[in-house]
Amino acid sequence: MAEYDVVVRGGTVVGAFGTTRCDVGVKDGRIVALAERLTDADTVLDAGGLLVLPGGVDSHCHLEEQMPDGSVIEESFETGSAACFAGGTTSVVCFVQQWKGHGIAERYWEHKRRGATGMVDHAFHQIITDASDLALEQELPALVADGLRSLKVFLTYDPLHLDDAQYIRVLAAARRHGMLVTVHCENYHAINWRTEALLKAGLTAPKYHSWSRPPVVEREATHRAIALAELVDQPIQVFHVSCEEAAEEIARAQARGLKVWGETCPQYLTLTAAHMDRSNPQDGPFEGAKFMCSPSPRDEAEQQKVWGMLKRGVLDVVSSDHSGSSFHNSIGKAAAGRDANFSQIPNGIPGLAARLPILFSEGVVKGRISLEQFVAITATNPARLMGLAPRKGSINVGADADLVLWDPKKQVTLTNPLMQHVIDYTPYEGMQVTGWPVATLRRGEVVMRDGKVQAQPGTARYLPRNPYAFIAPRGILSNDFDAAPPA
Ligand code: DUC
Ligand code: ZN
Ligand code: ZN
């Protein structure tokens, strides 16, 4: 029997802290050797001229989520897995929704069953829409015992949003259970107020989505989310930061020593509000719906500031927030008709496969971030923050052999078929990128080669997360009274 099942030979192995020329030896799905020359392998993959990257970790994407009205997000675990592998991502953290008025257990176990039908390794964030005793006191402990380590709250969006009292209850429950809280930061009442006024004034086209939620609504909610997290002494990650003023709130919190992390997404680095003002001959201004997500993309000056925040490390994760709704069918963007006003159009854009190529091309190739930073923000940092390290997110002996063979010179024009998701469009259609995944290995198995995804449905693994120190509360309270002592 050969010493290695697979050897990846002659590539340039990239880690968050450095880059080395070495071979990677794989046995039983794990990395067992890193050395200048490895022989005695069943399969040798030639990586000459290629980069060898850890498989991407997308810690924020929406797959097969079940909605209270009985509908299910279009992207299934199976189709989403194909998109992940096509773009060099091998692990995801996706969401389970709580339905208002219900507990969390039933949906969680159902979602876990669905996750197993795909191919991509996965963990879950539990969305809390109703901070009830049933959810947080009675049902949450069993989910934590199953390896759930993060909660998600929305400070805006009907019917998901929590008020401050409910948000504090979630922070306290997370602290007791040793969990991370991730937060969608926009001010609910401010957006509703502006939306009503815009609609009354007849300003209903997709482009007015961005007018309904200017940066100040994101900054205010980010400030409040951080302040209340500080009160409870609970670490949080602020999701999808779109603008400098929200990132500044995070920078200030970090400078004070708080455990606050910030994520952004490719859409805030490459799209602008002007995309929502596009028209086409068939659909008119409805074309703009393709780019509608929340927070709203801003402008080019803001994009450069968000890049700056990534370079500084204030924002240290880039995830896709893949939340697609197809454009041409009647259940997606046009669910309320093609004349619907902006507030009736589902938010969210697809981006699972585009995430790494866009970050590499716009970031590394254009000199905005280093190659090592690219690996850190797309794999190593999300794995560490989500409690998936050292098994995922880096190329280490003992880690799962999740690897991407990356051609740093290959030039590609992004098209929807290349994305391999179920959604019928990509907001990045026509974008030119340099750098492309030519093969993806998941636990040592080649699951994508030259664009052909070859993994079997049902081979995904759930990633239970043990308690981990990285997200432990600081133990610093306003005074000696701890209102939510850890269990
Ligand atoms: N924003 C979110 O917060 N989630 C999904 C889609 C979106 O645009
Ligand atoms: Zn969100
Ligand atoms: Zn999201």
Side-chain angles (χ1 to χ4, degrees), residues 71-95:
S71 63
V72 180
I73 277 194
E74 279 181 73
E75 200 72 69
S76 70
F77 278 99
E78 189 178 330
T79 59
S81 297
C84 284
F85 296 158
T89 287
T90 49
S91 308
V92 297
V93 189
C94 51
F95 298 85

Side-chain angles (χ1 to χ4, degrees), residues 62 152 154 157 184 240 293-294 321 323 347-348:
H62 300 264
K152 157 95 191 263
F154 289 86
Y157 271 145
H184 178 122
H240 42 51
C293 57
S294 291
D321 196 3
S323 180
N347 283 206

Side-chain angles (χ1 to χ4, degrees), residues 2 47 63 105 224 241 296 300 304 334 337-338 355 366 379 451:
L63 298 177
R224 183 162 35 97
V241 176
S296 165
E300 277 164 24
Q304 296 316 316
R338 299 180 104 70
R355 182 178 71 112
K366 294 198 173 165

Side-chain angles (χ1 to χ4, degrees), residues 167-360:
Y167 173 50
I168 290 170
R169 294 200 67 192
V170 173
L171 292 168
R175 189 167 192 268
R176 282 197 298 275
H177 291 295
M179 306 179 89
L180 179 70
V181 176
T182 61
V183 194
H184 178 122
C185 295
E186 292 184 292
N187 182 306
Y188 173 74
H189 295 291
I191 293 169
N192 286 353
W193 176 71
R194 282 193 59 92
T195 299
E196 259 176 45
L198 284 161
L199 297 182
K200 214 185 256 173
L203 304 177
T204 60
K207 77 169 190 178
Y208 296 108
H209 172 75
S210 78
W211 291 30
S212 72
R213 49 213 323 134
V216 62
V217 307
E218 188 181 340
R219 168 175 33 102
E220 185 281 331
T222 304
H223 178 88
R224 183 162 35 97
I226 292 170
L228 297 177
E230 181 175 1
L231 173 80
V232 178
D233 183 34
Q234 168 57 39
I236 61 169
Q237 185 191 29
V238 178
F239 268 165
H240 42 51
V241 176
S242 75
C243 58
E244 183 184 42
E245 53 192 271
E248 292 279 14
E249 296 291 340
I250 297 169
R252 269 195 286 280
Q254 291 170 345
R256 292 207 310 283
L258 299 182
K259 284 190 164 183
V260 175
W261 294 274
E263 169 211 80
T264 190
C265 313
Q267 47 271 39
Y268 304 115
L269 299 165
T270 56
L271 301 179
T272 67
H275 283 86
M276 279 180 276
D277 195 16
R278 287 187 176 175
S279 281
N280 75 39
Q282 292 99 51
D283 306 293
F286 188 66
E287 169 76 6
K290 288 181 177 170
F291 307 92
M292 187 183 283
C293 57
S294 291
S296 165
R298 310 295 180 187
D299 60 21
E300 277 164 24
E302 210 61 62
Q303 287 174 1
Q304 296 316 316
K305 291 171 183 165
V306 176
W307 277 113
M309 288 293 182
L310 267 179
K311 197 175 168 73
R312 272 173 62 187
V314 172
L315 308 176
D316 68 347
V317 167
V318 172
S319 59
S320 67
D321 196 3
H322 178 95
S323 180
S325 296
S326 286
F327 184 73
H328 296 99
N329 66 21
S330 58
I331 56 167
K333 291 284 185 187
R338 299 180 104 70
D339 295 324
N341 74 57
F342 69 84
S343 76
Q344 299 167 311
I345 299 173
N347 283 206
I349 59 175
L352 283 171
R355 182 178 71 112
L356 265 59
I358 288 178
L359 254 287
F360 186 87

Side-chain angles (χ1 to χ4, degrees), residues 21 23 37 70 84 110 148 265 320 341 404:
R21 284 293 291 272
D23 291 355
R37 178 90 185 159
C84 284
E110 167 61 11
L148 178 77
C265 313
S320 67
N341 74 57
V404 185

